[in-house]
Amino acid sequence: SGKKKKVKIVCCGLDNSGKTTIINSLKAKKAQVADVTPTVGFSVEEFEKENLLFSVFDMSGQGKFRNLWESFYDDINAVVFVIDAADRVRMTVAKNELDLLLEKEKKNIPILFFANKQDIQGSLSAQECSDVMGLGEIKDRSFNIVGTNALKNTGIDVGVKWLSGELN
Ligand code: GTP
Ligand code: MG
């Protein structure tokens, strides 16, 4: 009971990776939208989980909007980075965006990676995504990667639980 601690998160990752779908599933049932559409610019979403009050900047992953991501780095407690584990072709694009993020985010806040779309045949496992994205090179902050299926809502809670532990 009592006042819940507020935490601010930015949710990044390429367009179509599943950011909005994941965030939608974390909201209370009555606050969820039936149809998720591509994000324009960004939107601010709030929900309670693990005794924390989350305020999430749900960023558009479209190329023309990715330059907005960095404008939030000063104001946040953690990053959630969503990878489309089935999109092998654009994995290097995702890695480039991650490398930029790691360079520009100066406070060394924790990063939770979701290797999303584990339901799709041929998708890369969380470990394989970690290898392709070079997560082993990250030495300056805590991070974790969890495989998810946002349509069936599997794995997301495991990741959020880890993140909450980092933020509490
Ligand atoms: P932008 O807002 O454009 O950056 O995209 P986004 O990352 O927010 O992706 P969004 O949540 O809009 O999802 C894109 C598409 O992927 C939608 O059709 C989702 O239903 C679908 N999707 C999301 N998660 C999964 C998943 O785990 N498995 C499958 N098969 N499809 C998914
Ligand atoms: Mg979106």
Side-chain angles (χ1 to χ4, degrees), residues 16 18-21 36-40 58-61:
N16 200 52
K19 299 177 293 297
T20 302
T21 307
V36 168
T37 54
T39 306
V40 176
D58 176 15
M59 306 307 296
S60 167

CSV table of all heavy atoms in Angstrom, one decimal, residues 16 18-21 36-40 58-61, ligand 2:
chain,number,residue,atom,x,y,z
A,16,ASN,N,7.3,-2.2,-36.5
A,16,ASN,CA,6.7,-3.5,-36.7
A,16,ASN,C,7.3,-4.6,-35.7
A,16,ASN,O,7.0,-5.8,-35.8
A,16,ASN,CB,6.8,-4.0,-38.1
A,16,ASN,CG,5.9,-5.1,-38.5
A,16,ASN,OD1,4.7,-5.0,-38.2
A,16,ASN,ND2,6.4,-6.2,-39.0
A,18,GLY,N,6.7,-4.8,-32.5
A,18,GLY,CA,5.7,-5.2,-31.5
A,18,GLY,C,5.7,-4.4,-30.2
A,18,GLY,O,5.1,-4.8,-29.2
A,19,LYS,N,6.3,-3.2,-30.2
A,19,LYS,CA,6.4,-2.3,-29.0
A,19,LYS,C,5.0,-2.0,-28.5
A,19,LYS,O,4.7,-2.2,-27.3
A,19,LYS,CB,7.2,-1.0,-29.3
A,19,LYS,CG,8.6,-1.2,-29.8
A,19,LYS,CD,9.3,0.1,-30.2
A,19,LYS,CE,8.7,0.8,-31.4
A,19,LYS,NZ,8.8,0.0,-32.6
A,20,THR,N,4.1,-1.5,-29.4
A,20,THR,CA,2.8,-1.1,-28.9
A,20,THR,C,2.0,-2.2,-28.5
A,20,THR,O,1.2,-2.2,-27.5
A,20,THR,CB,2.1,-0.3,-30.0
A,20,THR,OG1,2.9,0.8,-30.4
A,20,THR,CG2,0.8,0.3,-29.6
A,21,THR,N,2.1,-3.4,-29.1
A,21,THR,CA,1.4,-4.6,-28.8
A,21,THR,C,1.8,-5.0,-27.4
A,21,THR,O,1.0,-5.4,-26.5
A,21,THR,CB,1.7,-5.7,-29.8
A,21,THR,OG1,1.4,-5.2,-31.1
A,21,THR,CG2,0.8,-6.9,-29.5
A,36,VAL,N,-4.1,-2.5,-32.6
A,36,VAL,CA,-2.9,-1.7,-32.5
A,36,VAL,C,-2.5,-1.3,-33.9
A,36,VAL,O,-2.5,-2.1,-34.8
A,36,VAL,CB,-1.8,-2.6,-31.9
A,36,VAL,CG1,-0.4,-2.0,-32.0
A,36,VAL,CG2,-2.1,-2.9,-30.4
A,37,THR,N,-2.2,0.0,-34.0
A,37,THR,CA,-1.8,0.6,-35.3
A,37,THR,C,-0.4,1.2,-35.2
A,37,THR,O,0.0,1.4,-34.1
A,37,THR,CB,-2.8,1.7,-35.8
A,37,THR,OG1,-2.9,2.6,-34.7
A,37,THR,CG2,-4.2,1.1,-36.1
A,38,PRO,N,0.3,1.3,-36.3
A,38,PRO,CA,1.6,1.9,-36.2
A,38,PRO,C,1.7,3.2,-35.5
A,38,PRO,O,0.8,4.1,-35.7
A,38,PRO,CB,2.0,2.0,-37.7
A,38,PRO,CG,1.2,1.0,-38.4
A,38,PRO,CD,-0.1,0.9,-37.7
A,39,THR,N,2.6,3.4,-34.7
A,39,THR,CA,2.7,4.6,-33.9
A,39,THR,C,3.3,5.7,-34.7
A,39,THR,O,4.2,5.5,-35.5
A,39,THR,CB,3.7,4.3,-32.7
A,39,THR,OG1,3.2,3.2,-32.0
A,39,THR,CG2,3.8,5.5,-31.7
A,40,VAL,N,2.7,6.9,-34.5
A,40,VAL,CA,3.2,8.1,-35.2
A,40,VAL,C,3.9,9.0,-34.2
A,40,VAL,O,3.2,9.4,-33.2
A,40,VAL,CB,2.0,8.9,-35.9
A,40,VAL,CG1,2.5,10.2,-36.6
A,40,VAL,CG2,1.3,8.0,-36.9
A,58,ASP,N,6.2,5.3,-25.7
A,58,ASP,CA,6.1,4.3,-26.8
A,58,ASP,C,6.5,4.9,-28.1
A,58,ASP,O,5.7,5.6,-28.7
A,58,ASP,CB,4.7,3.7,-26.8
A,58,ASP,CG,4.5,2.7,-28.0
A,58,ASP,OD1,5.5,2.2,-28.6
A,58,ASP,OD2,3.3,2.4,-28.3
A,59,MET,N,7.7,4.7,-28.6
A,59,MET,CA,8.3,5.4,-29.7
A,59,MET,C,7.9,4.8,-31.0
A,59,MET,O,7.7,3.6,-31.1
A,59,MET,CB,9.8,5.5,-29.6
A,59,MET,CG,10.4,6.1,-28.3
A,59,MET,SD,9.7,7.7,-27.9
A,59,MET,CE,10.3,8.7,-29.3
A,60,SER,N,7.7,5.6,-32.1
A,60,SER,CA,7.6,5.0,-33.4
A,60,SER,C,9.0,4.5,-33.8
A,60,SER,O,10.0,5.1,-33.6
A,60,SER,CB,7.2,6.0,-34.4
A,60,SER,OG,7.4,5.5,-35.7
A,61,GLY,N,9.0,3.3,-34.5
A,61,GLY,CA,10.2,2.7,-34.9
A,61,GLY,C,10.5,3.1,-36.4
A,61,GLY,O,11.6,2.7,-36.9
B,2,MG,MG,4.0,1.3,-32.1
